[in-house]
Amino acid sequence: MRMILAVAAVLYSASAFAQADKPPMVGDKPLVQVKPKGTKAGTKEAAAKPAAAPKGKPQSIAARLQACLDLDDGTKDRLNCYDAVIPPAPKPKPAKAKGYADCRFFKEEDERLACFNGFAESILKLPKT
């Protein structure tokens, strides 16, 4: 019985010593969390993306395409916004677009922009909630 009590006391005290108030250290420097590259607010990619959705509710593709309509028409910024929503995948001879997802197949930027504009403007305006 004494032996079990002694083992329990040693294990309990070891777990108490393992809990420290200081953060974990590597040498004499504390550990740091590394952020992924390209997430700075001042980069062009961040400026080209549409406004972020509220934390708990992701925006639909239609809402993100409509957010791109707020940018000036016929500009590279608007095309970059569309490309952030639906990444381009050019094909040599794309068929006529039947939906906004087919716009990504156009190789020429002007054709792709006109295609996205046509579909984004025809989407019914979503209510703001």
Side-chain angles (χ1 to χ4, degrees):
M1 182 70 179
R2 285 189 219 172
M3 188 61 143
I4 294 174
L5 191 57
V7 170
V10 168
L11 291 177
Y12 182 74
S13 63
S15 66
F17 285 121
Q19 298 176 4
D21 294 333
K22 297 183 225 173
M25 306 284 274
V26 174
D28 60 343
K29 296 180 181 179
L31 290 176
V32 295
Q33 288 188 334
V34 179
K35 295 181 182 176
K37 292 183 179 180
T39 58
K40 295 180 182 175
T43 60
K44 287 184 180 179
E45 292 83 16
K49 291 184 181 180
K55 291 282 183 188
K57 188 176 181 185
Q59 283 185 330
S60 67
I61 291 177
R64 291 187 288 172
L65 288 174
Q66 285 180 344
C68 295
L69 291 174
D70 294 339
L71 299 172
D72 291 334
D73 189 20
T75 61
K76 179 78 171 162
D77 289 338
R78 186 182 276 195
L79 181 63
N80 288 341
C81 182
Y82 288 140
D83 288 345
V85 176
I86 302 173
K91 289 186 175 180
K93 294 182 180 180
K96 183 178 178 187
K98 295 180 182 176
Y100 58 82
D102 295 336
C103 296
R104 67 184 171 157
F105 298 127
F106 289 109
K107 189 173 187 177
E108 292 294 319
E109 292 181 351
D110 293 335
E111 292 177 4
R112 200 163 67 239
L113 181 61
C115 179
F116 277 125
N117 281 339
F119 285 110
E121 291 169 355
S122 67
I123 297 172
L124 295 175
K125 297 290 180 192
L126 301 172
K128 304 256 179 179
T129 55

